[in-house]
Amino acid sequence: MSESLLLGALLAVAGGFFDAYTYLCRGGVFANAQTGNIVLFGLELAQREWMRALGYLVPIVAFAVGVVAAEVVKHRYKAQQNRDINIHWRQIIVLAETVLVACMAFLPQERNTVVNSVISFVCALQVEAFRKVQGSAIATTMCTGNLRSGTEQLVIWRQTGDRGAAKKMRNYYAIILFFILGAVLGSFATGWLGERALLLTCAPLLAVFGIMFIAEEREERETRGSLEN
């Protein structure tokens, strides 16, 4: 279920929202696009604007820490697989995301560096935990790789008529469109609600959390039915 298009779409909406929110409301920093932050960090260094440069460096480091944190959660969960665990490690990641972004919505502008760093950390958790959609490597917090892979599959489909390539192409482009939708929603919501707009991202994240429970219960019922038959 963690690789379904539905979950990928919901996560992409949140990812697009995060980037629009931090750029428009939290000082022009990107939550997901660390390449952009690295370029802006270099520009500030060139201009000797040390504090402004720091404002881009901290989210970059936070993103790297988020990747490490996701791997730690995954490793510890798998180490406990033989015990009675009723929640998947990816659900732990999504729940942590939800709590963190909800808290950040209440911090004032004076804490923008903290907010941007935590959201970058959250995005790293998400991109590390949810790395595929229907078997294809797809990111839900950035679009460059998706655009490259989707276009590649488009070329393969046009050249060979491969239906598998066409399906992959549709998935890549669908995730990009949902990311754009999230950015549009983030732009409007930030204009209306300011800092509190971040609370709206809890909706798709909680939906992902709940859908994974429903899918797990359905799978267990199907497994019991097969054994009984």
Side-chain angles (χ1 to χ4, degrees):
M1 188 61 194
S2 63
E3 295 185 13
S4 71
L5 182 59
L6 173 59
L7 259 63
L10 289 169
L11 292 169
V13 169
F17 197 113
F18 288 146
D19 253 348
Y21 174 83
T22 55
Y23 187 82
L24 294 173
C25 186
R26 296 295 185 171
V29 175
F30 294 107
N32 303 318
Q34 298 308 318
T35 300
N37 288 338
I38 290 171
V39 171
L40 293 171
F41 172 65
L43 292 176
E44 297 298 346
L45 287 180
Q47 298 175 28
R48 298 182 182 181
E49 294 287 348
W50 312 122
M51 293 307 298
R52 288 178 61 86
L54 184 63
Y56 292 107
L57 177 62
V58 175
I60 294 168
V61 174
F63 189 92
V65 173
V67 173
V68 174
E71 286 300 311
V72 169
V73 171
K74 178 181 177 180
H75 176 75
R76 291 188 176 181
Y77 177 88
K78 289 188 173 181
Q80 301 291 325
Q81 276 187 333
N82 294 328
R83 301 185 183 182
D84 184 20
I85 302 177
N86 296 320
I87 187 172
H88 195 277
W89 71 271
R90 288 186 175 89
Q91 289 176 290
I92 297 173
I93 294 293
V94 172
L95 189 59
E97 281 191 66
T98 306
V99 172
L100 287 171
V101 298
C103 292
M104 292 304 101
F106 294 95
L107 293 188
Q109 289 290 312
E110 291 77 12
R111 298 291 183 268
N112 280 353
T113 300
V114 174
V115 174
N116 291 330
S117 300
V118 170
I119 296 178
S120 290
F121 176 83
V122 161
C123 291
L125 292 178
Q126 179 173 310
V127 76
E128 189 68 13
F130 298 89
R131 301 174 67 171
K132 292 184 178 181
V133 171
Q134 296 184 350
S136 299
I138 294 181
T140 58
T141 61
M142 57 196 75
C143 291
T144 304
N146 296 340
L147 181 60
R148 184 203 66 80
S149 298
T151 305
E152 178 185 57
Q153 295 302 316
L154 170 63
V155 173
I156 293 172
W157 171 55
R158 295 295 296 172
Q159 289 179 341
T160 67
D162 184 355
R163 292 184 178 180
K167 180 180 179 181
K168 291 178 181 178
M169 174 200 68
R170 288 193 296 269
N171 287 342
Y172 281 114
Y173 288 152
I175 294 300
I176 292 172
L177 289 175
F178 278 106
F179 188 93
I180 294 171
L181 174 61
V184 171
L185 293 175
S187 176
F188 283 121
T190 299
W192 295 332
L193 303 173
E195 292 84 358
R196 301 293 191 274
L198 189 60
L199 290 171
L200 297 180
T201 60
C202 294
L205 294 176
L206 289 175
V208 169
F209 182 80
I211 289 169
M212 292 186 72
F213 268 127
I214 295 170
E216 183 178 353
E217 290 176 2
R218 183 176 59 192
E219 183 178 346
E220 289 178 357
R221 286 198 302 270
E222 291 174 352
T223 301
R224 286 197 300 267
S226 298
L227 293 174
E228 290 173 358
N229 294 331

